[in-house]
């Protein structure tokens, strides 16, 4: 099978890495890709938000499966354009992707499906914002209704900070604070059958001990030794299957990757948010543990045949990924800095640890930073402690001026 992956971050590098190891994949393309993805896939330029351009590229390459990685192309309807030319596509329609594209739409779907989530208000005026903030009190949870690349949420005890964020959004969702640890659970679906993957936990804050501003994610790990063994089954029954069924009932069937961000609260599991694609950086650790070849799973979703697949197989190993970010991230990051040490990791740590590129590009013979999150250093081991040690050993070999990373990814879970 010839596969084209759309996107250019560490999530897409993780997808391309897994697809490159799949014996059923005879040709692998990525558009636009990055410097790391170029090592496992043939890169092609494309405007990822232009559905017609993506569909033309897929047809020109003879692709038999297109995998759309990021959320913005999905919300823009790129998967619809690809399917319109007769090529199977992994990813929801533009309409179904509103599950991520609009927090208000997601809340409406959850209400219809009976999915447990935080109480919330959708606000468009200063008066509505003030009333909602007053109703819930601190800590305040304020979410931009639209796409914000993982940075549209403010959780704060300061009412003026919350109000300022809300006033900066066209439409905003203000909701009650959910206590308890957070879990990410992915599920592959074809609109009817739902196939859950293994849960992961990511780290949103920029600094150790969950300090600093929200980011797109600074690291992740899987499995979760502290989680209830019945968690996946419970979320399947109370969240994932009801949501897929509700979207199908509405005439907007969802196929692709349904991501549930969950809070394990004192009152049970609650949905914080849905995403319409693989999460980054959780994908890096979940795919590191998946033993079943990936291409067949994605094609099963795209072709409506997931019910014919055998159960997924998983490695017993744990996986940890640590994000190396550029200077000043998550504010305006500095780019263009040379990255050194990548060959050292490949020579000394592979295959137990490897580097997935996020924001990189090639400048002559040098790989340089090209975004806020630059690399995802990923490692596996017999348990979280071993995987952590390997990941941080590899991180220490990388040199990027002014770079930053958290030192506590999976630390508490590994020590528990």
């Amino acid at each position: 099978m010839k596969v084209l992956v759309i996107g250019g971050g560490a999530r897409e590098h993780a997808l391309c890495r897994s697809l490159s190891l799949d014996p059923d994949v005879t040709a692998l393309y990525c558009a636009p890709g990055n410097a790391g993805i170029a090592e496992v896939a043939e890169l092609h330029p494309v405007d990822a938000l232009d559905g017609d351009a993506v569909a033309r590229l897929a047809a020109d390459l003879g692709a038999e499966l297109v995998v759309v990685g990021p959320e913005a192309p999905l919300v823009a309807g790129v998967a619809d354009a690809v399917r319109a030319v007769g090529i199977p596509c992994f990813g929801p329609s533009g309409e179904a992707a509103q599950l991520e594209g609009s927090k208000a739409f997601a809340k409406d779907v959850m209400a219809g499906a009976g999915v447990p989530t935080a109480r919330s208000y959708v606000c468009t005026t200063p008066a509505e914002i003030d009333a909602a903030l007053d109703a819930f009190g601190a800590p305040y949870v304020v979410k931009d209704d639209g796409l914000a690349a993982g940075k549209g949420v403010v959780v704060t005890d300061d009412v003026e900070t919350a109000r300022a964020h809300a006033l900066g959004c066209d439409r905003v969702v203000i909701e009650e604070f959910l206590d308890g640890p957070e879990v990410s659970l992915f599920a592959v679906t074809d609109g009817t059958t739902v196939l859950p993957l293994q849960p992961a936990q990511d780290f949103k804050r920029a600094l150790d001990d969950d300090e600093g501003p929200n980011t797109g994610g600074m690291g992740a790990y899987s499995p979760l030794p502290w989680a209830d063994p019945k968690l996946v089954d419970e979320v399947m029954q109370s969240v994932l299957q009801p949501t897929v069924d509700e979207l199908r009932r509405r005439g907007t069937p969802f196929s692709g990757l349904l991501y549930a961000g969950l809070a394990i609260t004192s009152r049970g599991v609650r949905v914080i948010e849905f995403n319409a694609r693989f999460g980054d950086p959780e994908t890096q650790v979940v795919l590191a543990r998946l033993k079943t070849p990936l291409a067949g799973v994605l094609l099963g979703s795209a072709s409506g045949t997931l019910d014919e697949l055998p159960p997924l197989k998983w490695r017993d190993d744990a996986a940890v990924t640590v994000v190396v970010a550029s200077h000043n991230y998550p504010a305006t990051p500095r780019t263009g800095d040379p990255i050194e040490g990548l060959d050292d990791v490949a020579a000394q740590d592979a295959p137990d640890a490897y580097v997935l590129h996020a924001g990189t590009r090639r400048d002559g013979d040098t790989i340089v930073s090209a975004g806020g999150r630059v690399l995802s250093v990923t490692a596996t081991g017999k348990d979280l402690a071993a995987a952590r040690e390997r990941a941080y050993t590899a991180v220490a070999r990388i040199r990027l001026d002014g770079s930053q990373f958290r030192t506590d990814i999976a630390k508490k879970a590994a020590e528990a």
Side-chain angles (χ1 to χ4, degrees):
M1 170 182 357
K2 295 181 178 180
V3 182
L4 168 63
V5 176
I6 302 301
R11 164 188 45 228
E12 287 76 35
H13 194 174
L15 288 164
C16 285
R17 180 182 182 274
S18 290
L19 290 166
S20 73
L21 298 172
D22 188 332
D24 287 338
V25 176
T26 54
L28 181 60
Y29 311 103
C30 187
N34 63 38
I37 295 173
E39 296 175 13
V40 294
E42 183 180 298
L43 301 191
H44 290 268
V46 78
D47 177 355
L49 296 175
D50 185 338
D52 291 338
V54 172
R56 275 197 307 275
L57 176 62
D60 291 345
L61 294 172
E64 293 152 291
L65 173 66
V66 175
V67 180
V68 182
E71 59 272 27
L74 291 168
V75 172
V78 167
D80 302 277
V82 172
R83 281 191 278 266
V85 298
I87 300 172
C89 186
F90 179 81
S93 66
E95 206 172 351
Q98 285 300 312
L99 200 61
E100 177 169 5
S102 167
K103 304 287 190 298
F105 176 76
K107 287 289 187 183
D108 189 57
V109 170
M110 284 188 265
V115 168
T117 187
R119 292 178 299 122
S120 63
Y121 295 102
V122 179
C123 308
T124 56
T125 68
E128 289 173 347
I129 288 167
D130 288 341
L133 292 172
D134 188 52
F136 288 129
Y140 303 98
V141 181
V142 184
K143 299 180 175 182
D144 189 336
D145 181 53
L147 290 180
K151 302 191 204 84
V153 179
V154 165
V155 181
T156 179
D157 287 323
D158 182 67
V159 69
E160 290 307 319
T161 301
R163 189 170 189 273
H165 181 65
L167 290 171
C169 306
D170 289 336
R171 188 160 76 151
V172 68
V173 174
I174 296 173
E175 62 184 40
E176 67 175 328
F177 177 76
L178 297 174
D179 63 339
E182 295 183 14
V183 173
S184 300
L185 185 61
F186 301 163
V188 175
T189 178
D190 57 11
T192 303
T193 300
V194 181
L195 206 59
L197 307 186
Q198 289 289 308
Q201 186 173 53
D202 79 333
F203 294 75
K204 289 289 186 202
R205 298 284 184 170
L207 307 175
D208 284 7
D209 300 317
D210 292 326
E211 300 286 337
N214 252 5
T215 72
M218 294 299 291
Y221 70 93
S222 179
L224 312 181
W226 49 268
D228 187 328
K230 299 194 282 284
L231 175 66
V232 174
D233 289 341
E234 180 188 339
V235 175
M236 266 291 291
Q237 292 168 17
S238 66
V239 175
L240 299 171
Q241 192 71 57
T243 300
V244 170
D245 292 345
E246 172 69 12
L247 285 163
R248 190 176 65 250
R249 186 187 68 76
R250 291 174 176 229
T252 54
F254 186 105
S255 72
L257 195 291
L258 178 58
Y259 164 119
L262 309 165
I264 314 300
T265 77
S266 54
R267 293 170 294 143
V269 174
R270 299 287 186 272
V271 174
I272 301 168
E273 64 174 353
F274 283 126
N275 289 338
R277 38 73 196 183
F278 278 103
D280 183 344
E282 301 97 318
T283 301
Q284 289 84 303
V285 292
V286 172
L287 292 186
R289 299 187 57 224
L290 180 64
K291 191 185 283 187
T292 300
L294 183 61
V297 178
L298 303 185
L299 184 63
S301 164
S303 59
T305 57
L306 275 184
D307 61 335
E308 299 171 15
L309 291 185
L312 296 178
K313 293 181 179 175
W314 296 91
R315 296 184 177 89
D316 292 332
D317 281 2
V320 171
T321 194
V322 179
V323 170
V324 177
S326 56
H327 179 74
N328 206 37
Y329 178 78
T332 305
R334 191 174 80 199
T335 61
D337 289 312
I339 304 166
E340 299 175 339
L342 297 173
D343 291 341
D344 297 340
V345 175
Q348 299 182 59
D349 302 304
D352 298 317
Y354 48 89
V355 179
L356 298 169
H357 291 230
T360 68
R361 62 178 174 83
R362 190 169 280 283
D363 184 4
D365 293 333
T366 306
I367 293 175
V368 301
S369 60
R373 292 187 296 175
V374 181
L375 306 168
S376 283
V377 181
T378 304
T380 55
K382 68 181 191 320
D383 54 26
L384 285 174
R388 244 187 124 252
E389 185 176 350
R390 285 172 173 167
Y392 280 107
T393 296
V395 167
R397 300 193 202 280
I398 292 166
R399 295 174 298 285
L400 171 62
D401 187 47
S403 63
Q404 54 176 317
F405 59 88
R406 282 183 59 159
T407 65
D408 63 347
I409 304 301
K411 187 171 188 285
K412 287 180 183 173
E415 293 172 349

